[in-house]
Amino acid sequence: MDIASIHALFLECSSVSIDTRKIQPNSFFVAIKGENFDANTFAKEALEKGASYVIIDNSDYFIDQRTILVRDSLKALQELAQYHRNYLKLPIIALTGSNGKTTTKELIHAVLSEKYRTKATVGNLNNHIGVPLTLLSFTSETEIGIVEMGANHKKEIEFLCELAQPDYGYITNFGKAHLEGFGGVLGVIEGKSEMYTYLSDNEKLVFVNLEDAIQVEKTKSLPNYTFGVDKLNANISVTTVTANPFVSVVFEGLKIKSHLIGLYNANNINAAIAIGNYFKVSKEAIKSALEGYIPENNRSQLITKGTNQIILDAYNANPSSMAVAIENFKQLDNSNKIAILGDMFELGEESLQEHQQIVDSLFNQKDIVCHFVGADFFANSVDNENFHFYASFNDLATYIKKQPIEHSTILIKGSRGMALERTLEVL
């Protein structure tokens, strides 16, 4: 069956799924093999749970005319998504970057939704499987699509751009993330800039933050729409950026007060303002959207737990995001400050050096008590009365239960694999 015929069947369905636990009536199920499972074995279950059609790539699991046999289910999903994108012909904004992708995506979505029927990547479904699922979630009613793209190797952003074929693009920043896969910071810049190459080759527009020298240099010859802080040469400029503790900015005389912690989130807010302004969303609607956005999913959340104020930023971490989170924490005029920091992963040969730099940045910070968690990289190698080291989260939890933390401001940050949001359960 060719892709056009498969797409016609897909249009009869109300949703797409790759997980039988999330099957909805009249859904379109794609059986994708994983490292530890073969989803072909779930084809019958998917139909029993209400799927109208299933794509499989193993003839042993063919059932009836509702079963679509292809050579490779993953490739079929990707080809179907690309075909669907061309079928809809809607404007698509793509964004990537080392830090702040998901928060920026959510802010842009909130702003554009004030004027348009907008759909965006759900959660962080931003890889070679997530991007196709995002594209297939767009319908004929969608007026603007927003696609988040993640990568930990070169050529991934190039591939995702070929799938999504964005009309607009934005790179949040170039930081020390996935250094192992990219081969260092220069590899990160090269890999993320694959989006610029696609936009340039196809004469599409890029949004550029003039505060970022790398963005400015990389986009000199591209059609662009620029923004910055107090920048006379920008298409739009914000003023009076503050964080006490929430970020506020002034745009065209209108003060916008967010619920996001940390000055590092100002760039994410400013990007959403710029993109909203480009798409002619009124400044009053932009203000309403940004002030109404409440962070969740362990990203830049301010939580009160008993007598403690907690800055929960534990969804993920890399040296760049860890550094700015710590710098912001240092600036807070709070007493009894405690940092709970977990190992950062996928840094390759630079892991020990990058972790040591984080430790060094806090060595003389007498007003912050630091708890470092992780057997792999944060190691008990520094003699400092304000430093505590734990090989595992359980060791940290045991300590907190014996020495309860009260009346403190607490920063919690670490890589996803550390799952430091669990700290809330023991505070």
Side-chain angles (χ1 to χ4, degrees), residues 305-316:
K305 185 91 170 175
T307 61
N308 297 313
Q309 286 280 96
I310 300 166
I311 300 172
L312 183 62
D313 196 8
Y315 183 80
N316 215 339

Side-chain angles (χ1 to χ4, degrees), residues 54-275:
V54 297
I55 285 184
I56 61 170
D57 55 12
N58 186 333
S59 59
D60 291 345
Y61 298 96
F62 186 88
I63 299 168
D64 53 34
Q65 71 278 4
R66 297 173 297 168
T67 315
I68 305 166
L69 179 63
V70 298
R71 182 172 297 178
D72 184 315
S73 292
L74 174 58
K75 187 174 180 181
L77 175 71
Q78 294 165 342
E79 290 177 352
L80 177 63
Q82 186 181 58
Y83 188 95
H84 187 61
R85 187 269 177 274
N86 289 321
Y87 170 82
L88 292 177
K89 295 183 173 63
L90 79 164
I92 286 181
I93 303 167
L95 70 153
T96 189
S98 298
N99 303 311
K101 292 187 296 297
T102 300
T103 297
T104 304
K105 177 253 307 182
E106 294 292 339
L107 293 172
I108 295 168
H109 186 202
V111 167
L112 294 181
S113 293
E114 292 284 323
K115 184 174 181 178
Y116 304 94
R117 291 190 296 272
T118 309
K119 275 200 169 185
T121 300
V122 175
N124 67 333
L125 289 174
N126 60 18
N127 64 3
H128 63 295
I129 297 174
V131 167
L133 291 174
T134 297
L135 294 171
L136 290 170
S137 74
F138 300 157
T139 71
S140 58
E141 295 183 352
T142 308
E143 293 179 315
I144 297 178
I146 305 169
V147 179
E148 178 183 332
M149 298 178 179
N152 55 21
H153 290 82
K154 294 177 185 178
K155 298 299 180 181
E156 285 184 274
I157 296 300
E158 176 184 292
F159 176 72
L160 296 178
C161 282
E162 291 296 335
L163 284 183
Q165 300 170 33
D167 303 283
Y168 308 91
Y170 175 59
I171 300 179
T172 58
N173 48 52
F174 303 87
K176 296 177 179 180
H178 306 295
L179 297 181
E180 184 174 22
F182 280 112
V185 175
L186 291 178
V188 171
I189 296 172
E190 183 179 337
K192 300 296 183 182
S193 294
E194 289 163 12
M195 180 178 288
Y196 290 152
T197 301
Y198 176 88
L199 296 169
S200 176
D201 290 347
N202 292 276
E203 299 181 340
K204 304 298 185 180
L205 183 77
V206 60
F207 295 99
V208 181
N209 179 6
L210 296 182
E211 306 297 324
D212 187 326
I214 300 175
Q215 288 189 44
V216 173
E217 177 63 29
K218 288 283 185 179
T219 59
K220 282 181 178 179
S221 60
L222 276 68
N224 60 58
Y225 189 82
T226 60
F227 65 94
V229 179
D230 295 321
K231 291 285 193 297
L232 294 177
N233 60 328
N235 290 106
I236 74 144
S237 183
V238 301
T239 60
T240 322
V241 178
T242 58
N244 191 30
F246 299 114
V247 181
S248 294
V249 302
V250 175
F251 172 56
E252 293 187 355
L254 203 62
K255 187 170 186 178
I256 299 174
K257 303 176 183 178
S258 80
H259 292 276
L260 290 165
I261 296 286
L263 274 175
Y264 52 90
N265 271 307
N267 284 331
N268 303 333
I269 293 168
N270 296 343
I273 292 172
I275 293 172

Side-chain angles (χ1 to χ4, degrees), residues 274-293:
I275 293 172
N277 190 71
Y278 176 85
F279 283 96
K280 302 189 183 332
V281 179
S282 72
K283 65 179 182 180
E284 291 78 15
I286 291 173
K287 173 182 170 70
S288 175
L290 294 177
E291 292 190 341
Y293 174 74

Side-chain angles (χ1 to χ4, degrees), residues 372-399:
F372 299 100
V373 187
D376 294 328
F377 305 116
F378 279 132
N380 188 4
S381 59
V382 180
D383 184 15
N384 188 312
E385 62 181 9
N386 280 343
F387 286 0
H388 304 270
F389 295 86
Y390 309 89
S392 70
F393 172 78
N394 289 336
D395 292 340
L396 170 70
T398 299
Y399 175 87

